[in-house]
Amino acid sequence: MPTPAAPPTAAESPPVKQRSILLDLAFLRLWTGATASGLATWALPFVLGLAVFDRTLAATDLGLLLAARTVGFLAAVPVAGVLADRHSRRGVVLWAGLAAGAAAPVIAAGLGRSVLLMAAAAAVAGAGQGACRPAYQALTAEVVDAGRRQQANAAMTLAVRVTTLVGPSLAALLAVSLDTRALLLGIGLLWLVAACVPGRGARPGAAENTAEPSAGAGRASFLTEFTEGVREARGHPWFLAGLGALTAVIATGYSATGVALPMVSRDEYGTEVVLAGAMTAYTAGALGGALLMARWRPRSPGWAALAGLAFYGFAPLSLVFPVHPVFVMAAYTVAGIGIELFNVPWFTAAQREVAPDKLARVSSLDFLLSYGLAPIGLAVIAPAIDAFGATAVLAGCALICFVAPATAALVPSARTFSTARERSDAN
């Protein structure tokens, strides 16, 4: 008589197919708010650019306003990281969004009247943007269970790319019937959506996210709490290595895109089509990369992510030699795919590995360094091209984009983006 087969164990049972993350109401609310904040963030410089076009704002004043927004962003990021770990992440998103939303009509009121008033409001808008970034990162970890965070992060970054791709056409269409002040008020409404739509985090039953932010009568100073976040980051060698590589790529590769690409498009090709085509190809590639990472689970996620980050080196490399514009656009498509191959596992790993009560502070350190040093690269690259020539500078940018991620990959825990696995393998 044949022995009956043993029932399948949990490990042998076929995995239950998870429903789409966008069918989860809590995440859908968070995603809607993040999408609105991303669209508002993108729209402000574009709308102010329209004001320059219709001569209600001078180009030099536009530079001042964008600089003020950047200063506000960088000042708010570390503060928001501490506040989001100290208090409710939802509360930080709410107040940051309300502040940015209130700044938009002030900018509109100052248009054509007071550049100083507009600059102050732009700094507040930048602060709201900067405060939202680490809070949204930490709130995602509260709202979404660990098994679906990669899908959630892919959906978040997909929304950013869609707004970048669709936004210019939408804003240009609205500008036909609305003036600049009305468009600025629309930006304020987007910030109100970003502030009010997301729900509370820390859903019941998410045991790993039940850690509360540090509180109590003996609360440490702001500097001490921020230092705790730095100490937490230092406890994850893969994070430090990856952040160093990301900072290097943004400071060089992004600077080449922001400054050298328009110059090459004008001087070498004699048309703005190359510039527009390259940026559209980059966004399209990033959309493809985000869709890929919504489902792909590489065996060595850290190495795959760092390889994707290195793909950005093809962007400045394509500008070194006089090639057909199709090759430039292809290089930017690859760069766009690669940046999302990095972003999605990077955010997911931080949400998994970093202590929940320090996640916002570590995320703020990420944004502070990677985006904070970018203006230096943008300011230096044009003088460097004048001094050493475009070929040498662009080749150097490409080399750094290739070498920095490869160097980061040498850190043992970088293979999996996991300090815990590194310790397990060592034992």
Side-chain angles (χ1 to χ4, degrees), residues 124-204:
V124 173
Q129 174 194 346
C132 276
R133 296 299 290 271
Y136 266 122
Q137 280 294 105
L139 199 55
T140 301
E142 291 185 354
V143 168
V144 181
D145 55 272
R148 295 192 296 169
R149 284 181 193 154
Q150 182 163 325
Q151 187 183 19
N153 288 316
M156 286 284 203
T157 192
L158 188 64
V160 172
R161 301 305 177 186
V162 169
T163 57
T164 303
L165 192 62
V166 176
S169 301
L170 179 61
L173 183 63
L174 291 174
V176 173
S177 55
L178 299 174
D179 62 13
T180 304
R181 288 186 176 85
L183 293 175
L184 287 169
L185 294 178
I187 292 174
L189 292 177
L190 286 173
W191 276 115
L192 290 182
V193 172
C196 300
V197 170
R200 293 180 178 273
R203 66 169 67 180

Side-chain angles (χ1 to χ4, degrees), residues 109-134:
L111 189 62
R113 297 184 179 91
S114 172
V115 175
L116 184 60
L117 178 63
M118 295 179 71
V124 173
Q129 174 194 346
C132 276
R133 296 299 290 271

Side-chain angles (χ1 to χ4, degrees), residues 122-342:
V124 173
Q129 174 194 346
C132 276
R133 296 299 290 271
Y136 266 122
Q137 280 294 105
L139 199 55
T140 301
E142 291 185 354
V143 168
V144 181
D145 55 272
R148 295 192 296 169
R149 284 181 193 154
Q150 182 163 325
Q151 187 183 19
N153 288 316
M156 286 284 203
T157 192
L158 188 64
V160 172
R161 301 305 177 186
V162 169
T163 57
T164 303
L165 192 62
V166 176
S169 301
L170 179 61
L173 183 63
L174 291 174
V176 173
S177 55
L178 299 174
D179 62 13
T180 304
R181 288 186 176 85
L183 293 175
L184 287 169
L185 294 178
I187 292 174
L189 292 177
L190 286 173
W191 276 115
L192 290 182
V193 172
C196 300
V197 170
R200 293 180 178 273
R203 66 169 67 180
E208 65 177 318
N209 290 327
T210 56
E212 294 291 333
S214 56
R219 175 171 289 153
S221 67
F222 167 83
L223 181 59
T224 299
E225 291 196 26
F226 184 75
T227 303
E228 289 177 359
V230 175
R231 190 178 301 114
E232 172 70 17
R234 290 174 58 188
H236 302 279
W238 62 268
F239 180 83
L240 296 181
L243 181 56
L246 176 62
T247 301
V249 169
I250 288 180
T252 55
Y254 277 39
S255 297
T257 294
V259 177
L261 177 61
M263 293 171 54
V264 171
S265 180
R266 179 196 63 196
D267 298 339
E268 300 297 330
Y269 297 96
T271 174
E272 69 277 7
V273 172
V274 176
L275 171 62
M279 297 312 299
T280 302
Y282 176 79
T283 303
L287 284 171
L291 290 172
L292 173 63
M293 294 311 298
R295 297 187 174 276
W296 184 40
R297 301 294 186 273
R299 296 182 61 181
S300 299
W303 282 356
L306 291 169
L309 184 62
F311 286 175
Y312 204 96
F314 291 109
L317 186 62
S318 70
L319 305 177
V320 172
F321 306 105
V323 296
H324 192 278
V326 169
F327 289 97
V328 177
M329 296 174 194
Y332 271 89
T333 302
V334 171
I337 294 172
I339 204 66
E340 296 309 335
L341 293 184
F342 175 83

